[in-house]
Amino acid sequence: MSERTRDHVIWHVRCHPGTSPDVYRHVLDLTAEFIPVVQPLPPTALVARLRGASAVFSQDPWRLAQRFLLQAVATYGAPVHVGVADTWSTAVTASAHAGRSEVLHLPHHRAVEAFLRPLPVGALHGIGPARADSLRRFGLHTPGALAAMPEDVVCRLLGGKKGRLLRDRARGIDSCTITAHRMPGANSAHTAFRRDETDAASVGAAVLDLVVTVGERIRRRDQVARKVILTVGLVGGASVSRTWTLPAAFGHTEGLLSAAYRILDGMAIQRAGSGGSS
């Protein structure tokens, strides 16, 4: 494998379902020690571009992925599956089929074609159950069959843009780029009352608005919450904060609101007096 090819290798790392947010962050940090270009895909995945990492560590992409996998398990108890390929979508599909070996490396385009061709069409990244059913009704049961279909026919079946995208992915072609960034550590929102507010209903309504805002932001970023923190500004400039640890990581508004109201009930705002909350 040439150095130029190595620079275009993509890892897709898939943590086991149920991995805690803290362990997921450790896996992100560990990946960054191996590869400088890492994009989180919350709640349990990430994608990374090697960009010279193999040369730095003097190991080919497969051995480097094995080293990363062993370190993730030994240090954080985080078993992962890694797909290694030359495009994002193929690496995602590969990580889902790594099996007991835990690393599936597709070192060249012939290997990519041989891997993709016989899979069920629904296994291809970007094809959900409804679209897979539609493709099967037209006799396209595998990515190989989709790749062999003329582009104009696929575009008529799936629509122009989506059809071209999925046909390209079935052929191991994907122009999707990786953007290195850090996952936000927290999501927050705040509001302020125009006067000192002691009415519990008014404070509760303000908390509802804040939780809806934060919940929508979490889901838009494909994140989950582990804790809810409520801070209330009191008369005189002081503030009080309370934290509620959720029983499981999630991002749905109802659960976040329940936690926020539990905190609020414990604060007895109607007696303490408030000037704002966040």
Side-chain angles (χ1 to χ4, degrees):
M1 178 179 293
S2 69
E3 290 303 321
R4 184 177 185 281
T5 302
R6 288 179 179 180
D7 281 352
H8 287 78
V9 171
I10 305 296
W11 278 7
H12 181 267
V13 179
R14 187 185 299 266
C15 300
H16 283 199
T19 297
S20 73
D22 287 342
V23 171
Y24 174 59
R25 289 181 182 277
H26 286 315
V27 173
L28 284 174
D29 291 339
L30 177 62
T31 308
E33 294 179 12
F34 285 79
I35 303 175
V37 185
V38 180
Q39 181 171 338
L41 302 173
T44 58
L46 63 93
V47 63
R49 180 178 173 184
L50 263 66
R51 188 175 288 178
S54 289
V56 171
F57 288 92
S58 300
Q59 291 183 319
D60 64 40
W62 182 84
R63 292 186 183 278
L64 192 61
Q66 288 283 352
R67 177 175 171 177
F68 162 78
L69 184 149
L70 292 174
Q71 195 165 332
V73 173
T75 307
Y76 303 115
V80 297
H81 285 171
V82 185
V84 185
D86 59 357
T87 70
W88 176 320
S89 61
T90 304
V92 173
T93 305
S95 70
H97 292 80
R100 299 181 66 177
S101 66
E102 299 177 320
V103 176
L104 179 55
H105 180 207
L106 304 172
H108 45 70
H109 199 69
R110 291 190 305 277
V112 169
E113 291 178 331
F115 164 68
L116 292 175
R117 190 181 302 119
L119 291 176
V121 72
L124 189 66
H125 178 57
I127 297 182
R131 184 164 280 117
D133 287 342
S134 177
L135 289 170
R136 285 191 289 265
R137 284 196 296 272
F138 288 103
L140 302 175
H141 295 272
T142 65
L146 179 60
M149 185 67 63
E151 181 179 302
D152 60 335
V153 176
V154 176
C155 290
R156 285 200 298 271
L157 295 177
L158 301 178
K161 184 176 180 180
K162 193 67 174 181
R164 281 188 292 272
L165 173 67
L166 293 179
R167 181 175 180 271
D168 281 347
R169 288 182 176 178
R171 299 165 64 207
I173 300 170
D174 186 8
S175 61
C176 191
T177 59
I178 296 172
T179 304
H181 63 267
R182 299 294 297 170
M183 189 170 65
N187 288 287
S188 64
H190 72 278
T191 190
F193 295 107
R194 294 185 177 181
R195 59 180 178 82
D196 295 336
E197 183 60 72
T198 59
D199 179 66
S202 297
V203 176
V207 170
L208 171 61
D209 289 341
L210 295 173
V211 171
V212 169
T213 297
V214 171
E216 290 176 348
R217 188 178 300 149
I218 287 173
R219 292 189 294 275
R220 187 167 61 248
R221 293 175 175 175
D222 291 326
Q223 293 180 307
V224 292
R226 188 72 180 110
K227 297 178 180 179
V228 174
I229 302 173
L230 183 66
T231 301
V232 176
L234 302 177
V235 175
S239 64
V240 58
S241 292
R242 296 289 186 271
T243 300
W244 189 276
T245 299
L246 302 172
F250 55 74
H252 55 82
T253 298
E254 292 80 3
L256 299 175
L257 185 61
S258 176
Y261 278 164
R262 285 173 181 264
I263 298 173
L264 193 62
D265 288 344
M267 286 182 168
I269 296 303
Q270 70 275 16
R271 294 191 297 273
S274 67
S277 61
S278 64

